[in-house]
Amino acid sequence: MSLIFSYKLWPSPRPVTPLRGRWVRPRPVVSVTLVGPKASRVQPALLDTGADDCVFPESVAAQIGIDLTSAPVGNATGVGAGPIAVRYAQVALRLTDGREFREWQGWAGFTAARLTVSLLGFAGCLQFFGAFFHGDREEVELTVNSLYPGT
Amino acid sequence: MKSSDTRFPQIPWLDAQHFENRRNFPSEELSKYEGRHIAWSWDGAQILASGKSQEAVEEELKALGVDPSRVVFDYVFPGDASVIGPLEES
């Protein structure tokens, strides 16, 4: 069974030219739960096949009780952005569409850079799923693959 | 898997009603929060707090006596810009 998420529709104040004048922007943003030793948080995250890592705000690590003091560090770059520092930790992640439930342990990067939404990229998330972005239905379908380490 | 197959039974899962309520939330009401971080109630029917950053939302929730583990954080994208990355303007 797959997780199926409808794209979120954000109203636009003007017709969106590359979408033939529609008044909304559809985006594959989902709610992902991070579970740490102290607490959990449900974060908005963009399913992003172009992202190498999962990236979350550093403040969330502290809130759920993940100590990043001696965490492995790395750099990340994005479109139009210079390198930002990330610190990596393993965290329990949950996704559900209300019908199917998935929970696994994966590596996540945490950054002090200000993010609008978090990223669910390859390492820690999409490596464990087949991902099909149904542009016509504006749905994304995730199916666990043979690497999936969770329940 | 079933929702009961979890290492963290004390943490509830979001349910189908949450997603349904968010889908039905009036878009004109949501647009009042453009460019802001928000916190949805666990059932997805209400916005409990908003702020310029998620940290500000977290503080507001604590002031209201709401457990930040029992809300769903979100961000309302401004309607007038296409999104090509998640970094906020500083």
Side-chain angles (χ1 to χ4, degrees):
Chain A
M1 204 168 145
S2 303
L3 292 159
I4 297 176
F5 299 101
S6 297
Y7 284 24
K8 300 276 170 55
L9 301 177
W10 270 273
S12 170
R14 60 183 66 87
V16 180
T17 303
L19 292 178
R20 306 174 96 183
R22 284 181 70 187
W23 289 77
V24 293
R25 283 281 191 182
R27 299 180 178 120
V29 173
V30 300
S31 295
V32 60
T33 304
L34 288 80
V35 184
K38 267 179 30 185
S40 61
R41 290 291 182 276
V42 186
Q43 291 290 118
L46 183 69
L47 286 164
D48 187 349
T49 57
D52 293 332
D53 289 322
C54 298
V55 184
F56 298 94
E58 211 167 73
S59 57
V60 171
Q63 287 154 5
I64 65 175
I66 292 179
D67 180 8
L68 296 172
T69 310
S70 55
V73 296
N75 285 314
T77 58
V79 177
I84 59 169
V86 291
R87 293 192 283 177
Y88 295 102
Q90 290 211 57
V91 63
L93 297 167
R94 272 185 180 180
L95 281 175
T96 180
D97 57 7
R99 295 176 295 270
E100 175 69 346
F101 306 86
R102 291 291 170 186
E103 179 181 293
W104 72 98
Q105 192 83 5
W107 284 97
F110 293 90
T111 180
R114 286 170 59 84
L115 303 174
T116 52
V117 293
S118 301
L119 287 178
L120 290 174
F122 185 72
C125 181
L126 293 176
Q127 69 183 118
F128 303 128
F129 294 92
F132 201 102
F133 292 76
H134 297 278
D136 54 349
R137 306 199 313 244
E138 295 177 358
E139 287 179 347
V140 58
E141 183 173 356
L142 299 179
T143 308
V144 295
N145 64 27
S146 61
L147 298 179
Y148 178 72
T151 53
Chain B
M1 67 174 270
K2 295 178 291 185
S3 59
S4 55
D5 298 335
T6 173
R7 289 167 51 211
F8 311 101
Q10 75 280 14
I11 299 173
W13 290 82
L14 293 173
D15 60 17
Q17 191 64 54
H18 171 90
F19 298 104
E20 180 68 20
N21 286 340
R22 278 176 61 176
R23 263 194 298 277
N24 293 331
F25 194 83
S27 58
E28 61 274 16
E29 183 65 23
L30 190 60
S31 65
K32 293 177 185 169
Y33 297 92
E34 277 189 7
R36 293 175 70 81
H37 296 258
I38 63 171
W40 293 97
S41 57
W42 197 254
D43 66 2
Q46 300 177 66
I47 294 171
L48 300 176
S50 72
K52 284 190 165 182
S53 65
Q54 187 169 321
E55 292 89 337
V57 178
E58 179 113 5
E59 288 306 312
E60 190 181 335
L61 290 169
K62 286 177 184 165
L64 293 168
V66 177
D67 178 357
S69 291
R70 295 294 180 271
V71 303
V72 176
F73 288 96
D74 201 359
Y75 177 75
V76 183
F77 286 99
D80 57 353
S82 63
V83 173
I84 55 171
L87 288 173
E88 267 189 302
E89 286 180 41
S90 51

